[in-house]
Amino acid sequence: MDGKMKTAVMLGIGKMGFEEREIPVPKENEVLVKLEYVGICGSDLHYYETGAIGDYVVEPPFVLGHEPGGTVVEVGKGVKHLKVGDRVALEPGKTCGHCEFCRTGRYNLCPDVVFFATPPVDGVFQEYVAHEADLCFKLPDNVSTLEGALIEPLAVGFHAAIQGDAHLGQKAVVMGAGCIGLVSMMALKARGVSEVYVVDLMEKRLAKAMELGATGVINGGTEDVEARIRELTKGSGADLVIETAGSEATARQAVHIAKKGSTIVLVGYSKSGDMNLPTSMILDKEITLKSVFRYRHIYPMAIDAVASGKVNLKGIVTDIFDLDDVQEAMDQSVSRKADIVKAVIRINGN
Ligand SMILES: [Zn+2]
Ligand SMILES: [Zn+2]
């Protein structure tokens, strides 16, 4: 497809703008996708506010956004499983396929991954993208491209639940009710965990957690989290704790509320980069510590969970902004953190 497309670019810290770029041409193994919705992720906001995450430093103009859903409009010669008009969720990371990690099925650990919106690789706050067809997953008729965009964070939630071996009969606690906390809660429920309690400081987020199926919520600011969990688990503690808040306080709390022999999955990155944990208690309780880096081959399962009604994925969205209002979308997502649980950019006026 010849022509130009609108691309939203980060021009500097706190500053967005637009560029006209060529519509990309799909290679033999790629499809061209007309993007419809792209989620705004915590990492996009972090780049926007600070210009970097660890060693990844933004060189403007830089394109943010790695949670895309859209419709296939052109298909490369070698592509068999997709056709024009298919609606797809795009997995944002291309891996090498040859390294030890790729070969052992842990491709999320591939050192040569090329991932949308991770400097220097541009993201997808733009009208079109050419992407490897194998990383584009067809959505069934009853799953929208808005939900398609949200499959990316949901995949993180499922990976966390799987790392924690979540299963029927357990009582689990999720620390944090942001997007990743909510999708983790929903993934735990979808995997049959009997009771899932969610802890956060913000009332609006806790209300969202209840709306989306949490068994109960605890306000960590006004309630004694440890006492409440003791009460809810008849003194034994949680079978599984998923830590998504990324603060030392909540990570320490996770150890305190975990049952002996249980598992804690660390998902949230701490702002300072490190945290001190009560290691003696971890040893005394023989706690298994697991962690999560993105996800691996979870899109088909996540899409199925949405299609079958096990996960109310669009329920996490609180705000939708047009691509033209991307500056507003980023600024409000930063300044109204208590209100905006999950914002999404709508592209092409869909
Ligand atoms: Zn993300
Ligand atoms: Zn690899």
Side-chain angles (χ1 to χ4, degrees):
M1 185 181 296
D2 278 345
K4 306 269 191 197
M5 64 172 182
K6 180 180 277 188
T7 305
V9 288
M10 179 177 154
L11 295 170
I13 289 174
K15 192 160 172 17
M16 300 295 293
F18 294 97
E19 280 183 5
E20 239 187 23
R21 294 192 177 177
E22 297 290 334
I23 295 176
V25 177
K27 299 193 191 96
E28 197 170 340
N29 61 341
E30 290 181 340
V31 290
L32 182 68
V33 178
K34 186 175 190 222
L35 295 168
E36 289 167 21
Y37 292 94
V38 182
I40 299 179
C41 177
S43 66
D44 295 316
L45 296 175
H46 201 84
Y47 284 123
Y48 181 68
E49 282 185 276
T50 68
I53 295 180
D55 293 337
Y56 297 101
V57 179
V58 170
E59 299 268 2
F62 179 67
V63 185
L64 295 165
H66 63 255
E67 302 177 355
T71 299
V72 174
V73 290
E74 220 178 289
V75 177
K77 273 203 235 31
V79 176
K80 299 272 188 308
H81 73 290
L82 290 173
K83 59 181 189 315
V84 170
D86 284 345
R87 294 165 320 103
V88 289
L90 288 72
E91 184 170 336
K94 274 179 240 179
T95 51
C96 81
H98 306 292
C99 71
E100 177 193 342
F101 302 102
C102 285
R103 282 170 175 268
T104 53
R106 297 170 297 160
Y107 69 78
N108 57 319
L109 305 178
C110 174
D112 295 319
V113 65
V114 173
F115 199 95
F116 287 155
T118 304
V121 180
D122 274 333
V124 289
F125 282 169
Q126 60 192 27
E127 293 179 298
Y128 295 88
V129 68
H131 199 50
E132 202 136 300
D134 284 348
L135 295 171
C136 296
F137 294 85
K138 188 173 170 182
L139 299 170
D141 287 342
N142 67 340
V143 178
S144 66
T145 50
L146 171 63
E147 291 165 310
L150 300 166
I151 294 296
E152 203 276 342
L154 180 59
V156 177
F158 268 110
H159 188 38
I162 291 166
Q163 287 286 77
D165 186 27
H167 57 264
L168 185 67
Q170 290 184 311
K171 294 183 182 183
V173 178
V174 177
M175 308 301 288
C179 175
I180 296 298
L182 294 172
V183 292
S184 297
M185 179 272 288
M186 291 194 286
L188 292 171
K189 297 281 292 188
R191 284 178 65 88
V193 172
S194 308
E195 296 176 24
V196 184
Y197 300 96
V198 179
V199 180
D200 201 287
L201 298 170
M202 298 179 200
E203 278 303 324
K204 178 148 181 190
R205 294 184 175 212
L206 292 173
K208 204 53 167 163
M210 283 308 288
E211 178 194 323
L212 296 176
T215 312
V217 292
I218 301 169
N219 187 320
T222 58
E223 293 176 83
D224 182 337
V225 175
E226 288 173 45
R228 289 279 285 127
I229 295 298
R230 259 200 310 277
E231 204 179 291
L232 292 164
T233 60
K234 303 197 170 52
S236 65
D239 299 295
L240 171 61
V241 186
I242 311 268
E243 203 307 295
T244 72
S247 77
E248 185 166 307
T250 51
R252 295 180 66 89
Q253 229 160 30
V255 179
H256 283 268
I257 63 174
K259 187 193 269 189
K260 284 184 179 180
S262 68
T263 299
I264 298 173
V265 184
L266 299 177
V267 186
Y269 279 81
S270 81
K271 285 234 155 63
S272 65
D274 286 306
M275 357 173 142
N276 285 309
L277 294 179
T279 49
S280 301
M281 188 179 279
I282 291 172
L283 291 166
D284 288 345
K285 290 186 172 180
E286 201 176 71
I287 284 171
T288 301
L289 275 185
K290 295 273 229 168
S291 62
V292 161
F293 184 71
R294 296 173 180 156
Y295 38 76
R296 42 184 175 250
H297 198 57
I298 286 182
Y299 270 51
M301 181 208 304
I303 290 169
D304 187 69
V306 176
S308 62
K310 288 196 170 68
V311 167
N312 172 12
L313 191 53
K314 60 179 178 296
I316 68 170
V317 176
T318 50
D319 296 80
I320 297 179
F321 296 89
D322 284 327
L323 183 64
D324 286 340
D325 302 324
V326 68
Q327 177 86 52
E328 186 75 5
M330 300 302 285
D331 288 341
Q332 289 203 24
S333 295
V334 170
S335 64
R336 292 173 49 223
K337 279 208 172 100
D339 275 336
I340 297 184
V341 179
K342 181 70 178 177
V344 174
I345 302 282
R346 175 173 42 207
I347 302 177
N348 289 320
N350 287 283

